[in-house]
Amino acid sequence: MPTNAEIEEAVRDYQAIYFADEQPEQLRTLRNATLELMVELDRFKPYATGGVVDGTAGRFTAIELQVFADSAKEVELFLLNNGVDFDSRDPRRPDRNSPETTLLFDWDDLPVELAVYPAGLERSRGRERMRAESLRALLDKEEETE
């Protein structure tokens, strides 16, 4: 089976061939929306993950965030108090490093998957992830090269 890195490289090759005109702009749109949402969720120490971070995000990619809270209910109440309608999904195979829940909603008409982890798991390793400051620096760097 191919590794994750090999799959990501194949996705990049495919996008370069078939979506070279639209993918960079879609990625920038997703990254900007992700940064905006991360600022809103700052109290929960958000990290961006997935295609927004590795650069493979395209037309139908969801914004993937990890947040950390004492309880998933705390995040749910925050979203409800800010008028965000969401659905929740429990992890398929829960273990000690799994999110308590994943909240699904739209932000600026873009799909979001918000994985809510217990506060103590912030330091655990897993997928490649990025804090808001790093994402902002990446966006600034991209604007400089245009």
Side-chain angles (χ1 to χ4, degrees), residues 27-90:
L27 178 59
R28 189 173 15 265
T29 297
L30 283 165
R31 284 180 170 166
N32 281 315
T34 300
L35 182 58
E36 182 182 311
L37 182 54
M38 291 175 82
V39 168
E40 292 294 320
L41 295 169
D42 186 60
R43 68 191 281 187
F44 301 111
K45 303 175 189 128
Y47 288 85
T49 65
V52 168
V53 171
D54 66 31
T56 60
R59 184 184 311 172
F60 302 108
T61 303
I63 294 171
E64 295 179 54
L65 292 176
Q66 296 176 344
V67 295
F68 300 86
D70 292 330
S71 165
K73 294 294 179 199
E74 184 180 351
V75 179
E76 292 172 356
L77 285 172
F78 177 83
L79 292 175
L80 288 171
N81 288 337
N82 285 285
V84 177
D85 291 327
F86 60 86
D87 290 320
S88 65
R89 179 178 68 206
D90 291 331

Side-chain angles (χ1 to χ4, degrees), residues 95-108:
D95 65 31
R96 64 184 191 91
N97 293 321
S98 296
E100 280 186 50
T101 189
T102 299
L103 305 177
L104 310 170
F105 58 93
D106 287 339
W107 180 262
D108 288 339

